[in-house]
Amino acid sequence: MTEKADYQEIIAEYKEQVRVLKEQLNELTDASKAKDSALKRTLQKLEYTTEDLDKANTEIEDAKHSVKKTSKE
């Protein structure tokens, strides 16, 4: 009888470990999804900032050309 009781105790421990591992997996999955979302938002901000920087550089170059033309006249 003690062997059966020991097996049942071992099985109960394994079930508890499996439950804990599933919880940890769910937490890690949620954290990963949140991190992915944050990375996507950051990447989008970077893309917008890069576009703004390109536009500003173009405007600066245009202004330089205008100044050169004006100073030559």
Side-chain angles (χ1 to χ4, degrees):
M1 229 9 180
T2 57
E3 282 185 33
K4 187 174 182 182
D6 289 343
Y7 288 138
Q8 288 176 342
E9 186 176 322
I10 291 171
I11 289 171
E13 287 178 25
Y14 281 145
K15 285 182 179 180
E16 178 63 17
Q17 288 177 353
V18 167
R19 186 191 64 75
V20 169
L21 289 173
K22 284 181 180 179
E23 278 183 18
Q24 290 175 345
L25 178 62
N26 288 335
E27 290 173 6
L28 289 172
T29 301
D30 291 345
S32 175
K33 288 178 183 178
K35 191 172 186 178
D36 284 347
S37 294
L39 286 173
K40 285 178 184 177
R41 287 191 304 275
T42 303
L43 180 60
Q44 192 173 37
K45 287 180 184 178
L46 179 60
E47 288 173 351
Y48 291 147
T49 303
T50 303
E51 288 174 7
D52 291 344
L53 181 61
D54 289 342
K55 287 177 186 176
N57 283 333
T58 302
E59 289 177 11
I60 289 169
E61 290 300 317
D62 291 346
K64 284 181 182 179
H65 292 300
S66 294
V67 168
K68 284 182 182 179
K69 284 182 183 179
T70 305
S71 64
K72 287 182 180 180
E73 292 176 356

